[in-house]
Amino acid sequence: MRLLLALILAVSASAPLAAADNSVFAYAMRPPARFEAYVGRVLSPMRYFIRNLPTESKAFVISEIAQYHRSSERRWVRAVNAAMRADTDGNDRLDRSELSRAGVQAQKIDELFRLFGKSDDAAVSRHELNTVSEPLVVAARTLLEVDDGDEVRLPDLLDRAIRVFREVDTDDDLEISASEYQSAFGDVETNANEPSLTRDTVTRLLVNLLRDTSDMTLPPGSLDCSLPRPSSEADIVLLGVYEGAAISDVYIGSPEKQTTTAEINIKAGREPLYIILTAIEPMIWRLTGATGRVERVVLSGPKRARSGAVGISVDKLSLADGDDRDVCVPLFHDIAPQQAKSIGDRIAATIGRAPDRMAATYSVARLLVTSMDFEDAPVSQPLAPPGFDPEEWRAAMQLAPAGLVSIDPSKVAAFAPAARYKVLPHRFGFAKPIPSLPKGVRSGKFGLDLGVAIPEGSPARSSVVPEEAGR
């Protein structure tokens, strides 16, 4: 085994890298670190990003990683602000007496000071708290540093990890000693098997201070919701949905999820429009009508990095900061009376003004702007196109009442590449012969004729049953 690992390292040799610039690898290399354990530590935080990778490409989508990194940094600044409320003397430092008066247990204060290397009469500063990192955040930062375009391939990342290890392992024994680590990085951190100074550790120690961060404003210069402000003349339109009522034949970034689509039909008018669109599922918004009125379109929602728009240029498109736990533009597809003010206040805090018009629905086929009238499904369902099985088409239309919409990928404004699905998503994928299972089929039982191979891909909650000989 050790010989095999040595051969891997030898094959990966190339030009030296600046080891100190590779933070995720330094984090995973804390001594004592054998090569096999080091690779495991490198990949462990990457699993968060790997789980959403297209199986055929194994490439990290940079826009999604950047989105995660921004929201994580912003969330931590809020947490630090919450902790600093215990700073009663206003010197931007937390000493033992202040933490004790704030209700932090003595043993937790002891552990916190030990992790920061502080004596009993010292204090932990705001700056020190702000610089605490987390393996997943470090991993995101490293992926962004590796970035050479729209995506980073997993093999390239592993190759870089091996080359960094080889540079630090000067005696080629497949293990990083304390002296080797210190020569490369200038300091020897805590043993990798012991609790380390991470955001998760600090949160556990200061949980009573960090519990409520929802009302914390961010100080100047921190990562805040950096959306462009609307012009003074603009009408601000906010729409919240779960998904579109139609299925798109085009995806953005990754074909591993189905993409829905909806139309935003803009009526003629004088005022420019600042449109905020939030959805749970990946969406392609089709802007039609008087699109010259559009000043800005903001996309929000957990899958907004895999969403886009048709009918506007990409320079008028923005992605809201945040992720599904902490997003500048709140997620909603229903508006109770008590929620409307809260949502409006959140938008006002982000862009300086509350929405002039607001609407919400679970599934949308078409929205008229600025009357904010919905058309949830077409008046008549389209018939199956030539080459599609009529029965399967009708079954698909039951779940996607606005049907299948063909979109030109070259006309899509987005922050990741747009392309056509090789196999149509949803039940539409079963309406003609397929090489792999379609995305977005929630459940079902599918039979295969005798001699037909099981298609590639995951059946999710569905089952695929081949016909048996003689039956």
Side-chain angles (χ1 to χ4, degrees), residues 117-379:
K118 301 290 184 179
S119 59
D120 285 348
D121 58 351
V124 178
S125 69
R126 178 194 292 272
H127 173 72
E128 288 172 315
L129 288 172
N130 275 331
T131 56
V132 175
S133 193
E134 195 71 29
L136 190 52
V137 177
V138 172
R141 188 181 303 121
T142 297
L143 287 171
L144 293 174
E145 291 171 356
V146 176
D147 174 25
D148 190 25
D150 293 326
E151 61 183 26
V152 175
R153 295 182 66 253
L154 183 58
D156 295 338
L157 179 70
L158 290 174
D159 178 67
R160 177 169 173 173
I162 293 172
R163 285 187 285 145
V164 172
F165 186 94
R166 192 174 186 279
E167 181 180 333
V168 177
D169 182 26
T170 54
D171 60 6
D172 294 326
D173 67 347
L174 299 176
E175 184 169 338
I176 303 300
S177 65
S179 60
E180 288 173 328
Y181 188 95
Q182 191 167 21
S183 296
F185 302 109
D187 189 20
V188 179
E189 298 186 9
T190 309
N191 185 299
N193 297 317
E194 296 179 359
S196 57
L197 181 58
T198 66
R199 293 178 182 179
D200 184 65
T201 304
V202 174
T203 301
R204 177 175 57 83
L205 296 175
L206 302 180
V207 63
N208 59 317
L209 298 181
L210 304 183
R211 183 179 292 116
D212 180 20
T213 63
S214 60
D215 63 341
M216 297 307 300
T217 56
L218 300 178
S222 64
L223 283 169
D224 201 350
C225 299
S226 55
L227 292 178
R229 295 295 178 104
S231 65
S232 57
E233 308 85 34
D235 251 11
I236 301 175
V237 175
L238 174 63
L239 171 63
V241 304
Y242 187 90
E243 63 184 4
I247 298 296
S248 166
D249 67 345
V250 166
Y251 67 87
I252 296 171
S254 169
E256 291 299 295
K257 298 284 186 181
Q258 73 172 22
T259 303
T260 62
T261 181
E263 179 186 358
I264 305 294
N265 183 258
I266 302 169
K267 299 302 182 185
R270 291 178 299 177
E271 299 84 2
L273 298 176
Y274 188 105
I275 303 175
I276 305 172
L277 303 170
T278 176
I280 304 297
E281 294 296 318
M283 281 279 288
I284 295 180
W285 300 91
R286 307 182 330 271
L287 278 66
T288 62
T291 57
R293 296 181 62 190
V294 177
E295 171 182 298
R296 173 70 49 186
V297 171
V298 176
L299 303 183
S300 186
K303 303 296 189 300
R304 60 193 173 283
R306 298 183 183 182
S307 298
V310 175
I312 63 166
S313 56
V314 72
D315 62 304
K316 291 186 175 182
L317 193 67
S318 297
L319 295 184
D321 279 346
D323 58 18
D324 52 352
R325 294 177 294 172
D326 179 26
V327 67
C328 294
V329 179
L331 303 177
F332 66 100
H333 50 81
D334 186 21
I335 306 178
Q338 64 271 22
Q339 288 180 303
K341 184 179 185 308
S342 173
I343 293 173
D345 290 346
R346 189 82 173 268
I347 298 298
T350 302
I351 61 174
R353 288 169 50 198
D356 298 294
R357 307 169 196 277
M358 189 185 308
T361 188
Y362 184 87
S363 176
V364 59
R366 190 170 187 240
L367 175 70
L368 304 180
V369 175
T370 56
S371 67
M372 306 305 283
D373 293 327
F374 285 111
E375 181 182 316
D376 293 327
V379 176

Side-chain angles (χ1 to χ4, degrees), residues 46-119:
M46 299 293 181
R47 290 193 183 103
Y48 179 91
F49 305 109
I50 291 172
R51 66 185 183 184
N52 292 321
L53 289 183
T55 54
E56 67 274 14
S57 69
K58 292 299 179 202
F60 299 95
V61 179
I62 289 300
S63 58
E64 293 186 13
I65 296 167
Q67 168 189 309
Y68 172 85
H69 187 261
R70 288 195 305 269
S71 63
S72 297
E73 296 297 277
R74 188 182 66 253
R75 196 162 49 242
W76 182 245
V77 171
R78 283 188 179 140
V80 171
N81 285 350
M84 295 308 297
R85 284 183 289 196
D87 176 28
T88 54
D89 60 11
N91 67 350
D92 253 8
R93 305 170 77 84
L94 296 174
D95 59 36
R96 179 176 289 275
S97 62
E98 287 173 325
L99 290 170
S100 181
R101 286 195 299 270
V104 181
Q105 298 174 4
Q107 64 184 44
K108 291 185 175 181
I109 299 175
D110 291 341
E111 185 174 352
L112 182 74
F113 275 44
R114 181 182 64 80
L115 288 173
F116 277 100
K118 301 290 184 179
S119 59

Side-chain angles (χ1 to χ4, degrees), residues 9-56:
L9 290 174
V11 170
S12 301
S14 68
L17 296 174
D21 295 334
N22 297 277
S23 51
V24 70
F25 308 129
Y27 195 98
M29 215 180 291
R30 291 171 297 164
R34 291 187 174 184
F35 174 72
E36 53 268 38
Y38 159 76
V39 172
R41 291 180 201 146
V42 168
L43 292 182
S44 180
M46 299 293 181
R47 290 193 183 103
Y48 179 91
F49 305 109
I50 291 172
R51 66 185 183 184
N52 292 321
L53 289 183
T55 54
E56 67 274 14

